[in-house]
Amino acid sequence: MKTCLAPILATAVCALTGAAHAADAPALHMAVLSTGEPLPSEAKALTRVEQALARPGKGRRFTVTRGPATADEQRLAAAYLGPVPPASPPPLPGDWSGRAAVLVLELRPPTSAGDARLSGGLGAVLVFHPPAPEPTLVYVPDGLPGVSLSRAWSEAVGPWLVQALALTPEAP
Amino acid sequence: MRHAPLLVALTLAAARAQAGDPGPLPTTFTNMTPDAESTPASRACVADLAARLAGAYTEVRKLGETPLREKAGMTAGQPFLSWPVEALDKVRRQPEARDGAVALVLVDCRPQARRLDVRVLPKAGGSFRIQSRGVPLKSRTLDWVFTGLLHHLHDGHEP
């Protein structure tokens, strides 16, 4: 009887504690900058990033939301996406308060090959930890093609984005 | 996760070996940390990135900040992240190099201030920057920076 109950109890305890941890997990928002609706391959890659950030594991676990960048988020990102970083950090969007982290991802415009539309790949990456006004991590390419999300996912891009959120700011 | 940059570098090297090797990527590397901010920790950080580069199929050639500024025609005090690509092209273009150009990697690392700026110009053109603010510049952060650096570093140096 004991041996039968043990796995059931363990499962129930894990489910309950898992739910509690999920409720406690800090809020992370993924703001996606793109010229239109992401292509299916891009949406799939973004979902995998989202799932990896929400999954308990070696990295930090978040309660993740995702959406297209708002006008405020686009304005903020534009300040960092130029070839030169801004002299002083622009204000953060008001609705970022309460979020532990915000991951801004730029998708490059898709290209066409015959009838097919191909992903332009990943462009810039910005990681913010509100209320700190400056992004903690910045990756901004200038005059370079996007990094392929599908081909390179398992090699570097996906784990690289997840790894970025494991790096948290500390006072010097 | 910690071994991801190494795996990328090894995969890159293996692919090149199979496909007709152009040899290691000649890379000019400059420590841009201001003298006033230079500490043993900052020098160790810069050396760490240089060593990672050397392990990623590059031939690292160090160039001092003063000769870099002279070649680029940029005056002291102007932050290197704001230098126009055209100025750095004067350093990137080297007629004696294969394809007439090298890659450039410029690093300003200040662990005491939790601040890192990296500017990279792949040999084929374009540029990218990686910055870190407020994050302790330990191995995990440098792993992230270096993986980002590899996304485009070898552009234009394929077999």
Side-chain angles (χ1 to χ4, degrees):
Chain A
M1 190 64 173
K2 271 184 187 173
T3 51
C4 291
L5 274 178
I8 296 168
L9 284 171
T11 306
V13 168
C14 286
L16 286 171
T17 53
H21 285 163
D24 293 342
L28 165 75
H29 181 62
M30 285 171 63
V32 181
L33 289 162
S34 62
T35 50
E37 192 73 16
L39 299 179
S41 61
E42 294 170 334
K44 188 176 173 185
L46 293 174
T47 299
R48 293 181 71 171
V49 175
E50 192 178 331
Q51 289 172 341
L53 288 166
R55 192 183 305 136
K58 283 184 186 173
R60 203 173 168 206
R61 184 188 187 184
F62 294 93
T63 301
V64 187
T65 55
R66 184 175 105 204
T70 62
D72 281 352
E73 289 167 344
Q74 288 177 33
R75 264 193 296 275
L76 175 68
Y80 291 97
L81 299 194
V84 178
S88 60
L92 301 182
D95 59 358
W96 281 14
S97 61
R99 288 170 173 167
V102 178
L103 174 62
V104 180
L105 299 177
E106 179 204 20
L107 295 179
R108 290 293 175 83
T111 56
S112 296
D115 291 340
R117 289 203 308 152
L118 304 175
S119 170
L122 178 71
V125 176
L126 305 173
V127 179
F128 290 87
H129 286 86
E134 270 192 299
T136 48
L137 297 171
V138 171
Y139 170 80
V140 177
D142 176 30
L144 293 167
V147 178
S148 168
L149 282 168
S150 50
R151 180 179 56 81
W153 166 266
S154 58
E155 295 169 18
V157 178
W160 182 64
L161 294 175
V162 173
Q163 188 186 13
L165 272 304
L167 302 171
T168 49
E170 285 176 17
Chain B
M1 188 80 89
R2 285 176 51 81
H3 301 297
L6 180 62
L7 285 173
V8 172
L10 289 174
T11 306
L12 207 65
R16 283 172 197 291
Q18 282 176 354
D21 193 344
L25 170 69
T27 305
T28 296
F29 182 93
T30 301
N31 178 3
M32 300 298 291
T33 313
D35 289 346
E37 303 287 344
S38 185
T39 62
S42 73
R43 287 190 289 276
C45 167
V46 172
D48 184 323
L49 283 173
R52 288 170 190 249
L53 269 177
Y57 214 55
T58 65
E59 183 191 320
V60 175
R61 300 163 183 176
K62 293 187 179 170
L63 179 67
E65 181 179 342
T66 302
L68 175 83
R69 284 183 180 276
E70 284 169 3
K71 283 186 181 183
M74 302 307 296
T75 55
Q78 192 170 348
F80 69 96
L81 290 183
S82 67
W83 293 3
V85 169
E86 294 73 29
L88 285 166
D89 265 341
K90 295 174 194 163
V91 187
R92 170 162 52 190
R93 294 191 197 290
Q94 295 185 13
E96 72 282 6
R98 187 179 185 265
D99 304 321
V102 301
L104 300 187
V105 177
L106 316 180
V107 178
D108 174 354
C109 189
R110 309 180 198 181
Q112 62 281 12
R114 309 245 194 282
R115 177 192 165 103
L116 171 66
D117 288 332
V118 180
R119 177 113 186 245
V120 180
L121 282 85
K123 162 176 151 174
S127 144
F128 61 97
R129 70 174 191 272
I130 301 176
Q131 295 175 267
S132 166
R133 294 285 182 277
V135 178
L137 293 175
K138 294 177 183 167
S139 181
R140 284 197 316 162
T141 308
L142 296 183
D143 283 349
W144 188 86
V145 168
F146 187 65
T147 302
L149 199 150
L150 289 178
H151 286 159
H152 283 293
L153 178 69
H154 289 81
D155 285 6
H157 196 64
E158 287 81 14

